[in-house]
Amino acid sequence: MSDTIAFWQGDFGRDYLTRNQVDYTERIPLLNHIAEMTGAQTFLDVGTNAGWNLLALRHINPEYMMSGVDVNQEALEKAQISGFDVHVSPADKIAEIFGEQAADMVITSGMLIHVAPEDLKATMQAIVDCSSQYVLAIEYEADAEQEVEYRGNKGKLWKRPFGKLYQELGLSLVETGNATGYDKCTYWLMEKS
């Protein structure tokens, strides 16, 4: 287990859960736009935390099939209380749990930014493998990898050109823009060829 995963499973991850209370309704417009554009019906939210994206998607269409994964058990307990199918797992192991092409769309929001550089390619490849068609990355953007000190911690947050990185894994860019409802993030909607 990398130090980054242990960091999020421990006290810092629990503090993050307490500190980061999200109004999921602010995410509905962007996720509704993406869902309408793609026609996706099944979703896997990687780094789901308490299930904020899943709550927004359920608001859009309660018939969607949705699952989530996170490394923090306490966050997942909140998602379970909301009735979601969630699993404790590091992101690079999701294909082992769900299988390949498990969901129409695999989503990350503010998760890839916390993946250590040595784990990034395997993590992104697992996300691609679990998607049957689309990947939606909602993350902090930079033209090149840029480490950012995160609440006094080094080696825990990186801004990156995620659209370009997914293109290097064979995906095509469908749409990108400012991710309303997600701090100061950019979204990249990517499609498998």
Side-chain angles (χ1 to χ4, degrees):
M1 178 181 359
S2 78
D3 290 345
T4 304
I5 292 172
F7 179 77
W8 287 103
Q9 286 178 326
D11 291 340
F12 192 90
R14 286 187 287 278
D15 292 345
Y16 177 85
L17 179 64
T18 302
R19 185 176 67 245
N20 186 40
Q21 296 302 307
V22 172
D23 179 358
Y24 76 87
T25 62
E26 293 179 359
R27 298 181 173 192
I28 291 171
L30 176 61
L31 292 178
N32 187 55
H33 165 71
I34 298 292
E36 285 184 351
M37 182 173 30
T38 62
Q41 297 292 307
T42 58
F43 300 87
L44 173 58
D45 189 27
V46 181
T48 197
N49 194 265
W52 308 120
N53 290 330
L54 301 178
L55 285 164
L57 287 165
R58 184 164 66 192
H59 181 89
I60 295 164
N61 185 345
E63 301 301 313
Y64 286 154
M65 299 294 293
M66 299 174 286
S67 298
V69 297
D70 204 283
V71 296
N72 187 283
Q73 180 63 45
E74 288 184 39
L76 291 180
E77 287 169 7
K78 299 220 179 255
Q80 286 172 324
I81 289 168
S82 296
F84 295 115
D85 171 38
V86 291
H87 304 265
V88 174
S89 175
D92 64 343
K93 303 296 183 200
I94 57 174
E96 296 171 21
I97 296 173
F98 296 97
E100 294 191 4
Q101 300 187 19
D104 297 338
M105 183 178 298
V106 180
I107 301 171
T108 65
S109 57
M111 189 282 292
L112 290 174
I113 59 172
H114 298 300
V115 176
E118 62 270 22
D119 299 327
L120 184 64
K121 186 170 183 181
T123 299
M124 293 178 72
Q125 187 62 59
I127 288 166
V128 171
D129 290 345
C130 275
S131 168
S132 65
Q133 191 166 11
Y134 295 102
V135 171
L136 176 61
I138 303 169
E139 307 285 346
Y140 294 132
E141 179 181 19
D143 292 337
E145 184 171 273
Q146 172 188 343
E147 185 178 339
V148 178
E149 187 172 303
Y150 185 55
R151 293 186 170 263
N153 295 282
K154 294 184 188 281
K156 301 295 184 253
L157 190 152
W158 296 265
K159 296 180 179 183
R160 299 173 170 123
F162 290 102
K164 178 183 173 189
L165 295 174
Y166 272 123
Q167 287 174 320
E168 290 172 2
L169 294 177
L171 275 62
S172 301
L173 178 65
V174 176
E175 186 174 273
T176 187
N178 294 326
T180 306
Y182 293 88
D183 195 28
K184 295 175 181 168
C185 291
T186 298
Y187 74 90
W188 295 267
L189 177 63
M190 311 299 298
E191 185 171 15
K192 294 178 84 168
S193 301

